[in-house]
């Protein structure tokens, strides 16, 4: 079993910054791809940013230049640095991890519990 714990959400004013983290533990041999998703009220869940084990990153057009995804493999952790936050960034943010277990099997769809980000004046 694998557990994902998210933290770092909160209430900020427009233009402010937050840093989200997602730490994985349990039956882990290696972590391959990592991603952040978000879901705003009344909206579909959408991908925000992704990072591969080799370091390649990609971002949704709406956050390019403002958000940065990074990882710390030794701690099985992925981060999302969010700068210049806008009210439309308000959502619940979820991490998603692609993990290889100790027996060599791979599972692509582990989800964190979600952390609320609210951007409001």
């Amino acid at each position: 079993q694998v557990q994902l714990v998210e933290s770092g959400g909160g209430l900020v004013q427009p233009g402010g910054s937050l840093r989200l983290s997602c730490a994985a533990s349990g039956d882990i041999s290696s972590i391959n791809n990592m991603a952040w998703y978000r879901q705003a009220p009344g909206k579909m869940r959408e991908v925000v940013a992704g990072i591969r084990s080799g370091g390649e990153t990609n971002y949704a057009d709406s956050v390019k230049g403002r958000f940065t995804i990074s990882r710390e493999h030794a701690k099985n952790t992925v981060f999302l640095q969010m700068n210049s936050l806008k009210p439309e960034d308000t959502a619940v943010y979820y991490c998603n991890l692609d993990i290889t277990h100790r027996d060599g099997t791979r599972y692509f769809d582990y989800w964190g519990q979600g952390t609320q980000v609210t951007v409001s004046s």
Side-chain angles (χ1 to χ4, degrees), residues 9-81:
L11 173 64
V12 298
Q13 295 184 338
S17 297
L18 286 173
R19 188 183 188 224
L20 307 183
S21 65
C22 175
S25 62
D27 182 14
I28 300 171
S29 177
S30 62
I31 298 178
N32 307 302
N33 305 312
M34 311 176 188
W36 287 95
Y37 289 72
R38 68 185 181 187
Q39 187 165 18
K43 301 293 182 64
M44 299 293 293
R45 187 173 299 185
E46 62 178 349
V47 64
V48 175
I51 185 168
R52 300 176 64 88
S53 59
E56 180 185 359
T57 60
N58 58 81
Y59 298 91
D61 288 341
S62 59
V63 307
K64 285 181 179 177
R66 300 188 297 120
F67 290 11
T68 302
I69 187 171
S70 62
R71 68 188 191 278
E72 187 171 347
H73 282 164
K75 296 185 179 295
N76 294 326
T77 302
V78 60
F79 303 93
L80 186 68
Q81 178 67 45

